[in-house]
Amino acid sequence: MKLFEPIRINTMELKNRIVVPAMHLGYADQGYVTQRIIDFYTERAKNEIGLILIGGCYTELLAKGMDTMLRIDSDEAIPGLSKVAKAIHEGGAKCGAQLYHSGRYAFSFIIGQTPVSASAVPSKFTGETPRALTKEEILQTEKNYGEAALRAKKAGFDAVELIASAGYIIPQFLSPLTNKRDDEYGGDLKSRTRFGVECIQAIRDKVGEDFPLIMRISGDDMMPGGNTYKEVRVYAPIFAEAGVDMFNVTGGWHESTVPQITMNVPRGNYVWLAENVKEVVDVPVMACNRITDPLLAEQILLDGRADLVGLGRALICDPEWVVKAKEGRFKEIRQCLGCNQGCFDHVFMLTPVECLANAAASREVEYKIKPAAKRKKVLIIGGGPGGMEAARVAKLRGHDVTLYERTYTLGGQLNLAAAPQDRREFKNLVDYLSYQMDLLGINVVLGQEVTPELVKKLKPDVIIVAAGGRPLVPDIPGIEGSNVVMSWDVLAGKAAVGKKAVVVGGGGVGCETGLYLTDHGSITPEQMVFLVNFGVLDLQTAYDMVRKTRDVTIVEMLEKMGADISRTCRWTILKTLSMRGVQMLTNAKVAKITEKGVVLENGDLLEADTVVIAVGTVPNNEIIDQLEGLAAEIYPIGDCVQPRKAFEAVHEAAGIARKI
């Protein structure tokens, strides 16, 4: 596979084309390296990765994004960074440090002063207005980049990466939206590249011409009035001429309203941005964002669209991704879901990055699977993600494991979550865990309810109860009507829904039901593209035919729609619902349901052929009390304890299975 062919970046030889981009992990302690960081990168380096970029590493106080970021603004940081570089090298990978400056994306409460930028243009991301850098401060900022690069070289890194993407300080100078200067650093596009060029030169002055310098750029800022893929074709060659050895191409700013990494973004959706840059430069180019599948990664390289691929969250999710791909064990890869629950959500909550699908992420040493001291007979009740993860880990530790699932399908509520097209990536985890049941030879019994009598017959040493939950049926007059169905039945394809539907409940399940009910109209999106391209339909007519599957209204009694949805995914779901014409009512309480539809407390009638109930979940916990005394160890996990997300179920399962 071309994926595993070597490639040279300046003087640095990589053994393959796979790169871990710099990701904020939140593991640093006041900017300094911790053992958690070393363990995280050690686990990935030993699994055949070509290049690992760490960071961002802030180059000065004004550059700092948060306390849990790595620092490279002082020689005091070198010893810790050296430990990371050494660990990565011992694992067999090359390593680089990303040089980071927030600019106007810094928060004053973190840096203790007003953030800086090219100009004093307010930031929607922070809600603050920066001050414009003076000429003297610009020169000092550039010098700081050079000093930081030299520290990286002294620490033993093989390369540095200059971040010029996501709306940080270099893009703030590049963009006409944030650069209003009338000196030599402002004006036309070439003048706006001056700051970036001088940063590159400052780095080159310190590390020399033969030290690899990578630049991460936005292939399109996706900001109205900002730089597009056209401007990138102008300034990328300028930066290459100044001394950049490789471009790492992503897209968008933090302020842009175009989804970049959530699961509704098609896999490989932004490879074209890298391809666009590759057409105008003579140095290697890396494609990023939503590349999770080895065959997709291989095709990108074979088609010449990029020279390398960046696998960030894919390698948080499965550190062995490269080894499994190289050996053709594709079904064993735990693919990233694009759910953001453990990674991007945690970044914005200022907590350490974890992973829904991989509970060992950030606990690489603590969660290393070790043989059990004593082989036990383990009974697992429930075949959702929590139950299957518990079975997987317990079996790997040497236990005798049997899993019972009362339905005829593994996956539990994840199957419902994956029903809408925009949320189908949840099925990745179901497929991975289901395959693990077969691969490990776990005894799985489907279609049988677990009773106390059965447990007495099985005589387990340990019982893990992962029975999940069931839909809450609210006490609403008319709830028993023939026009009323439950959202779970709708998502499972068991209930028919008319052309006009009202969804009662605007939490995660209600919003996902809204997506599901509006997935396809008279034609599919693929048909729409064909008919428009061949002039059969105009774009607006075709779009209306796709989105008008049904007239859907979602009613939520709280003031916020989708309050329990992943923080960094919620806006994408609400935006999609809005684009599809779904009406969303908040602060609206249902008084009763009639044959005509839903009557609100204010007297308004929402006409509907079908009323879909999606008001929440209650635990399936009745079995827990019935099991008392039937095993030495009994552990309830997941929704049968308290309805939450798959993240909690998987992590609780992983923890319990590692200690029994």
Side-chain angles (χ1 to χ4, degrees), residues 83 99 173 199 202 226 306 314 447 595 610 628:
K83 292 180 181 179
L99 309 182
F173 272 85
C199 289
E595 292 179 354
T610 308
E628 187 174 352

Side-chain angles (χ1 to χ4, degrees), residues 262 338-340 345 423 565-573:
T262 45
C339 68
N340 285 10
D345 277 3
R423 309 290 281 169
I565 299 175
S566 162
R567 179 174 180 177
T568 55
C569 289
R570 176 178 174 270
W571 71 274
T572 68
I573 292 174

